[in-house]
Amino acid sequence: MITKAVEIFKNSKSLFVLTGAGISAESGIPTFRGVDGLWKNYSATDLATPQAFQKNPVLVWEWYHWRQGIISKAEPNPAHYALVALEKKMARFLLLTQNVDNLHPRAGSENVLELHGNIFRTRCLACGEIADYQKPPETSSNALPKCTCGGLLRPDVVWFGEAIPQHIWQNSLDFLSRADAALICGTSGIVWPAAAIPEIAQHSNTKTIEINLEPTSVSSIVDVSIQGKAGEVLPKIVAALGQ
Ligand code: OAD
C-alpha cells in the first residue's frame, strides 16, 4: 500500500492534505474519539458547543485550559515533519487541518489553513476582538478570561453546531478541485464538512490516500488506505520519494 501511495505522490505536482487529531496523537495530545477521548467523564461533544459554554463557561474553560497545558508541552512529531518535507517536494500544496493545536505551523508547514480555529486565540463575546491567548501560569485553571473591554472571552475555535469559516472552506475546495492527489491523515472522517473531502476529491478525479490506525468511514472510498501510525508511515513515504 505504501508503494502505491509513493507512486501517486511521484506523479503529483499538486497535493491537498487533510489532517485530524490522529496526526498529533504521537505528540501526546489525546484524540477526541479514542479511548483517551474523555475528560472527567465528558466527551468533546458535551463540551465543544455554544450551549455548553452558555450553561457552564467555567467548566468549558477548565477543559480548554487543560488542553492548552498539554499542547503547550507537546512537540511536533515525525508525521508533522514529513508533511513539511512533502510540501517542499510539491509545486502546489495546501494543508487543511481540523486540529487547533498549532503543531503544523510549529513544525514548519507553510501553506496551512485551520478549519476549526486555534486553541491559542480567544474571541471576545462583547466586542468581537480576536487575540492570542495562553493561560497565565498563576491563574487558576477554572478562571474565566476577560477582554480589556470587560467582555467574556471564548476560545477562537469552531464548536459543534457553529459555522466553519466560509473563506477557508471555499479556498480548500478551490484547491482540491485542481489537486492531483489528496492525503487524509489521522481523522475519523465523522465530522462534517471535512468528512466530505474524499468524495469531493473523487468527483474531480483527484487520487485519494488515507493514513489511519484503523479503518474509517472513508476507507472504502479512497484509492489507497494505509493502516498504521502516521508518524511511522509518512516518514517512510518521504524517504521512498527521495530527494
Ligand atoms: P477523532 O478523535 O474523531 O479521530 C482521530 C482519528 O485518528 C481516529 O480515526 C484514529 O484511528 C486516528 N489515529 C489515532 N492515532 C493515530 C496515529 N498515530 N496515526 C494515524 N491515525 C491515528 O479526531 P478528528 O477526526 O480530528 O472538532 O475529529 C474531528 C473533529 O471532531 C475535531 O476537530 C473536533 C472533534 O470533536 C471540534 O472540536 C469542533
Side-chain angles (χ1 to χ4, degrees):
M1 281 300 168
I2 288 190
T3 324
K4 268 190 170 177
V6 170
E7 210 43 49
I8 292 174
F9 287 127
K10 270 191 182 150
N11 293 322
S12 300
K13 289 194 171 63
S14 167
L15 176 65
F16 177 90
V17 181
L18 170 70
T19 62
I23 198 159
S24 296
E26 290 159 76
S27 294
I29 301 172
T31 58
F32 292 98
R33 291 174 185 79
V35 278
D36 53 0
L38 287 183
W39 173 79
K40 291 189 176 181
N41 283 330
Y42 294 100
S43 71
T45 42
D46 295 331
L47 297 165
T49 69
Q51 293 79 9
F53 191 70
Q54 210 168 21
K55 191 170 151 210
N56 196 343
V58 169
L59 179 75
V60 173
W61 261 119
E62 200 187 338
W63 182 54
Y64 276 98
H65 280 151
W66 172 76
R67 288 181 59 205
Q68 262 200 358
I70 292 174
I71 292 169
S72 320
K73 289 190 205 101
E75 294 295 332
N77 68 57
H80 295 104
Y81 290 116
L83 290 183
V84 178
L86 265 182
E87 180 167 11
K88 294 203 170 94
K89 289 180 190 297
M90 294 289 159
R92 294 178 69 242
F93 178 96
L94 180 68
L95 198 176
L96 177 67
T97 186
Q98 298 168 91
N99 299 345
V100 295
D101 59 25
N102 217 25
L103 287 184
H104 288 302
R106 275 182 59 199
S109 287
E110 285 179 6
N111 209 7
V112 180
L113 293 179
E114 293 166 327
L115 189 62
H116 291 166
N118 190 306
I119 199 170
F120 296 108
R121 282 196 313 257
T122 51
R123 181 156 24 104
C124 175
L125 290 182
C127 72
E129 188 181 68
I130 292 173
D132 291 340
Y133 172 78
Q134 193 151 8
K135 181 177 94 64
E138 69 281 6
T139 320
S140 91
S141 65
N142 58 3
L144 283 177
K146 293 281 174 60
C147 179
T148 46
C149 82
L152 179 60
L153 295 174
R154 59 163 280 176
D156 188 29
V157 299
V158 177
W159 283 329
F160 289 105
E162 293 186 321
I164 49 150
Q166 267 315 300
H167 62 290
I168 289 182
W169 183 241
Q170 198 49 55
N171 286 350
S172 303
L173 291 185
D174 289 347
F175 189 98
L176 187 59
S177 67
R178 284 173 283 128
D180 297 319
L183 167 67
I184 294 120
C185 185
T187 176
S188 52
I190 288 171
V191 176
W192 289 76
I197 297 271
E199 223 172 308
I200 297 171
Q202 289 203 322
H203 285 302
S204 44
N205 288 326
T206 303
K207 292 278 180 209
T208 46
I209 298 158
E210 177 190 46
I211 301 173
N212 199 300
L213 268 188
E214 55 192 29
T216 71
S217 53
V218 304
S219 302
S220 57
I221 305 173
V222 294
D223 293 299
V224 180
S225 177
I226 303 173
Q227 270 183 49
K229 289 186 171 181
E232 292 170 7
V233 175
L234 273 170
K236 278 187 196 159
I237 290 175
V238 169
L241 286 170
Q243 289 306 307

